[in-house]
Amino acid sequence: MKLFTIFGNPVSHSISPLIHNHTIKSLGIDACYTRTLLKDGYLIKNKFHTMKLNGANITVPFKEDAFMICDDIRGIAKDIGAVNTIIKKNDKLVGFNTDAPGFYESIKDFKNIKDILILGAGGTARAISVFLRQKGFNVDILNRSKHRLAFFEKQNFNVFSWDDFKICKYDLVVNTTSAGLSSDILPIKADTLQKLFKKAKYAVDVIYNKKTPFLKDAKEAELTTKDGSDMLLYQAVLAFEIFFDNKYNKKDIKQYMQEAFKLFS
Ligand code: NDP
């Protein structure tokens, strides 16, 4: 039997085991996917080997640690510096990032987007901004504080903190902050957000299964909106493909994962 887990802290809220196990069962695969609470990210490598895992997903706050402990890094994860999917190949741990392409996949049906504003400067902002720029979009970053902007400045993004931001026209505004997750607050000042929404067409909040104040205001401003459910779905589909070496049909994986979403949310 193949074994998979998700490492995180906290991790009890994660629906990844439900999505993956439903898909594993539906495809008749001999495998199991669990949750593993970790105290420290440096333990990932040891745990991976002692648990005899075939693969793992990594969630908050260990994605940068996962990047550090992998023996080999593939694809966009190299530029982002964060890993959310690990597999074992020839006894070596190989790391990938499927959050970034997962987000991209989730906005593929949006039309005529050129300029994007990312709110927040954490791990998710890094993943999304680097990938979207590689896909040819203009991406600017706005964060509450200055200290997390260094990564983006080094990579020549236009960066702003709340103190020096001036309103411009953006086609898409993405909330990657955790504002709105456990409390009903906006990621930036209400009047600034209103002005941004007046000029924008689309708004996405990466928080899922919740009508955040950000999405509520965007809807009131008559923007097309989306929460983070599709991103979660697509990052999981891509991780599943990596876990099983592209052996299964992507459409089937997506269908079973969507079924799981409906069953468990
Ligand atoms: P990080 O902790 O790395 O970054 C959090 C960011 O949010 C920072 O930029 C921080 O700003 C900002 N922030 C926090 N609180 C506030 C606030 N009250 N007002 C304004 N800004 C605030 O988190 P991650 O990037 O790992 O995750 C961010 C969100 O993305 C989470 O809600 C997570 O659940 C979601 N997520 C969704 C996924 C999906 O598949 N849909 C996948 C991964 C993450 P500062 O620097 O000033 O502190």
Side-chain angles (χ1 to χ4, degrees):
M1 177 187 269
K2 290 191 169 177
L3 273 182
F4 302 88
T5 200
I6 178 159
F7 290 116
N9 189 353
V11 76
S12 58
H13 68 285
S14 172
I15 64 166
S16 291
L18 304 172
I19 303 172
H20 281 272
N21 282 328
H22 180 75
T23 310
I24 283 167
K25 198 173 157 201
S26 305
L27 288 166
I29 305 169
D30 187 21
C32 183
Y33 187 115
T34 65
R35 292 186 182 91
T36 307
L37 178 71
L38 275 191
K39 280 200 176 134
D40 275 298
Y42 74 86
L43 296 168
I44 291 172
K45 194 168 201 164
N46 188 266
K47 275 273 177 191
F48 196 103
H49 288 304
T50 55
M51 288 171 74
K52 299 194 183 340
L53 294 170
N54 296 87
N57 283 127
I58 321 296
T59 187
V60 180
F62 300 134
K63 291 180 188 177
E64 279 94 351
D65 295 315
F67 174 83
M68 301 300 286
I69 60 90
C70 280
D71 303 302
D72 188 11
I73 303 287
R74 300 272 167 88
I76 188 77
K78 279 184 204 157
D79 303 311
I80 297 166
V83 156
N84 78 325
T85 303
I86 299 178
I87 52 166
K88 192 164 76 176
K89 267 204 169 161
N90 305 323
D91 269 337
K92 295 215 155 121
L93 298 194
V94 185
F96 302 79
N97 188 301
T98 68
D99 285 331
F103 178 84
Y104 178 63
E105 199 72 38
S106 79
I107 62 157
K108 263 191 169 164
D109 51 339
F110 290 177
K111 302 272 178 285
N112 301 321
I113 299 177
K114 207 172 116 219
D115 300 304
I116 300 177
L117 180 66
I118 308 275
L119 307 178
T124 311
R126 278 191 193 198
I128 292 175
S129 55
V130 168
F131 197 79
L132 289 179
R133 188 165 68 176
Q134 286 188 7
K135 291 287 171 191
F137 298 100
N138 299 325
V139 182
D140 291 356
I141 316 293
L142 169 59
N143 195 43
R144 176 175 60 179
S145 59
K146 283 199 167 101
H147 70 282
R148 289 212 210 197
L149 291 171
F151 168 87
F152 300 90
E153 258 175 327
K154 248 190 226 161
Q155 302 218 14
N156 293 319
F157 283 97
N158 286 325
V159 300
F160 308 96
S161 70
W162 285 9
D163 296 338
D164 56 18
F165 181 64
K166 290 196 181 68
I167 309 278
C168 293
K169 180 186 172 300
Y170 294 98
D171 305 308
L172 165 64
V173 183
V174 185
N175 179 34
T176 74
T177 78
S178 34
L181 185 63
S182 47
S183 54
D184 279 345
I185 48 170
L186 289 167
I188 51 171
K189 285 178 196 148
D191 62 328
T192 309
L193 198 59
Q194 262 177 25
K195 284 175 192 158
L196 281 168
F197 282 164
K198 251 188 197 159
K199 296 171 189 275
K201 286 184 271 197
Y202 300 98
V204 177
D205 199 325
V206 298
I207 294 169
Y208 52 88
N209 280 346
K210 193 181 170 203
K211 274 187 193 138
T212 57
F214 171 85
L215 283 186
K216 205 172 133 262
D217 284 10
K219 271 206 180 111
E220 275 168 18
E222 296 181 352
L223 269 64
T224 301
T225 63
K226 193 168 247 198
D227 76 357
S229 305
D230 280 356
M231 176 184 176
L232 186 72
L233 169 72
Y234 289 120
Q235 65 77 26
V237 171
L238 295 169
F240 196 96
E241 285 190 296
I242 293 168
F243 287 157
F244 295 102
D245 212 9
N246 296 307
K247 201 173 149 195
Y248 299 95
N249 186 297
K250 192 174 188 165
K251 269 192 186 161
D252 293 340
I253 301 169
K254 189 179 161 194
Q255 186 204 316
Y256 293 131
M257 288 196 168
Q258 276 172 326
E259 259 175 40
F261 260 92
K262 281 191 196 133
L263 284 172
F264 302 116
S265 62

